[in-house]
C-alpha cells in the first residue's frame, strides 16, 4: 500500500520475475519530496499481482498472491534505497544474501546486546534497570543510515551523490537532540559522530 501514511505524489509497483517485485514511492509529509525505492523477494512463487486501478500519478496498491505453497511459511526480504531501484536491488542482494528469518532475528538480538552493553549499570531494581536500557534503546533508533551499501545517497539537492570514506545519515531532529542525545553519542559513538558531522557538512 503505497498510500499508507504520507501523501503519495507518485508510485510504481511491478513484478520482475516469479519471485520478485520492485517499485518506488515519492511522497510528502514531515519529509518533503521523499523518495523510497524497494525490491522484495519471496521464498514462494508469485501466482498473481492484482493492482488497484492506475492513477494519473502511478500505482497505489497491489495484492500479491501465492498458491500451492511448499510450506505454510512465506519468507519475504526487502531492500530499500533513497537513491534508485538499482540501489534497492544492491542493498537487498548484499544484506539479504544467505539470510533466513531465524538468522536475521539472531543477528538483531546479538547486535542489540552489543549496543546496549556499551553501558554497564549496577544497583537499582530490575524495573529501574529495564527503564534505563529501554531509554538507551530509544536513543539508538536514530539517526538512520541513508546511503546505499555502495555509498550512494540522495542529497539535499535531490541529486545522487557518492559518500567517500563515511556513512551518510538522516533523521537528526536537532531541534531537541542537541541537548542530551548527541552529547551521549560523542561518548558512545565517536566514530559515528564523526560521520554525523561529515553528513552535516555535506548537507
Amino acid at each position: 500500500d503505497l498510500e499508507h501514511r504520507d501523501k503519495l505524489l507518485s508510485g510504481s509497483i511491478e513484478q520482475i520475475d516469479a519471485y520478485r517485485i520492485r517499485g518506488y514511492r515519492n511522497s510528502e509529509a514531515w519529509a518533503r519530496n521523499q523518495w523510497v525505492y524497494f525490491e522484495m523477494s519471496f521464498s514462494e512463487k508469485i501466482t498473481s499481482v492484482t493492482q488497484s486501478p492506475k492513477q494519473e500519478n502511478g500505482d497505489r496498491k497491489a495484492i500479491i498472491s501465492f498458491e500451492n505453497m511448499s510450506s505454510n511459511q512465506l519468507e519475504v526480504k526487502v531492500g530499500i534505497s533513497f537513491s534508485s531501484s538499482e540501489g534497492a536491488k544492491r542493498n537487498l542482494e548484499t544484506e539479504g544474501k544467505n539470510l533466513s528469518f531465524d538468522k536475521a532475528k539472531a543477528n538483531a538480538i546479538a547486535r542489540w546486546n552489543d549496543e546496549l552493553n556499551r553501558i554497564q549499570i549496577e544497583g537499582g531494581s530490575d524495573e529501574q534497570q529495564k527503564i534505563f536500557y529501554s531509554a538507551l534503546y530509544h536513543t539508538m533508533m536514530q539517526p538512520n543510515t541513508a546511503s546505499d551499501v555502495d555509498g550512494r545517497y540522495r542529497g539535499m539537492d535531490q541529486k545522487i551523490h557518492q559518500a567517500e570514506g563515511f556513512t551518510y545519515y538522516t533523521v537528526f531532529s536537532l531541534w531537541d537532540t542537541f541537548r542530551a542525545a548527541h552529547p551521549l553519542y560523542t561518548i558512545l559513538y565517536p566514530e559515528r559522530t564523526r560521520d554525523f558531522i561529515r553528513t552535516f557538512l555535506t548537507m
Side-chain angles (χ1 to χ4, degrees):
D1 181 0
L2 300 184
E3 289 185 296
H4 176 70
R5 190 169 168 234
D6 299 343
K7 178 183 177 182
L8 183 67
L9 301 177
S10 65
S12 172
I13 305 168
E14 63 175 320
Q15 184 174 353
I16 306 169
D17 58 33
Y19 294 91
R20 294 182 301 156
I21 68 167
R22 69 181 171 201
Y24 78 89
R25 182 178 82 157
N26 176 217
S27 64
E28 68 175 5
W30 176 72
R32 290 188 217 105
N33 198 23
Q34 183 184 61
W35 293 83
V36 179
Y37 297 85
F38 65 89
E39 181 156 327
M40 305 173 70
S41 69
F42 303 91
S43 59
E44 299 287 341
K45 192 173 183 177
I46 299 168
T47 53
S48 68
V49 177
T50 306
Q51 299 206 25
S52 59
K54 190 180 287 289
Q55 303 291 316
E56 186 177 333
N57 55 354
D59 299 321
R60 325 290 277 185
K61 297 174 171 65
I63 297 173
I64 305 162
S65 301
F66 305 87
E67 296 176 12
N68 304 317
M69 293 171 54
S70 60
S71 74
N72 63 354
Q73 293 183 339
L74 178 67
E75 193 166 270
V76 185
K77 297 180 183 180
V78 183
I80 63 170
S81 169
F82 298 133
S83 63
S84 66
S85 293
E86 294 74 19
K89 180 181 179 182
R90 273 191 299 272
N91 294 340
L92 175 61
E93 291 175 345
T94 301
E95 298 177 334
K97 188 176 182 181
N98 301 322
L99 191 66
S100 66
F101 178 87
D102 290 337
K103 188 174 181 180
K105 180 182 176 181
N107 289 349
I109 291 171
R111 182 74 182 270
W112 275 112
N113 280 334
D114 287 344
E115 297 298 333
L116 295 174
N117 275 319
R118 287 179 181 244
I119 296 181
Q120 298 286 331
I121 60 172
E122 297 178 355
S125 65
D126 288 346
E127 185 66 20
Q128 287 172 324
Q129 291 198 7
K130 286 178 183 177
I131 290 170
F132 175 84
Y133 282 110
S134 295
L136 183 61
Y137 163 80
H138 285 121
T139 69
M140 298 176 181
M141 299 302 289
Q142 280 104 16
N144 309 122
T145 300
S147 48
D148 294 338
V149 292
D150 62 1
R152 290 182 183 165
Y153 66 91
R154 183 177 296 274
M156 301 297 287
D157 58 2
Q158 290 295 323
K159 296 177 182 177
I160 306 305
H161 301 274
Q162 182 75 40
E164 300 287 353
F166 74 104
T167 299
Y168 187 86
Y169 283 88
T170 190
V171 191
F172 290 99
S173 298
L174 284 172
W175 65 274
D176 207 32
T177 57
F178 76 93
R179 301 173 192 275
H182 277 278
L184 177 66
Y185 300 151
T186 65
I187 298 170
L188 295 182
Y189 304 113
E191 71 288 349
R192 289 185 201 169
T193 297
R194 183 176 62 248
D195 285 356
F196 296 162
I197 298 300
R198 291 195 64 178
T199 298
F200 295 154
L201 294 172
T202 299
M203 287 178 170

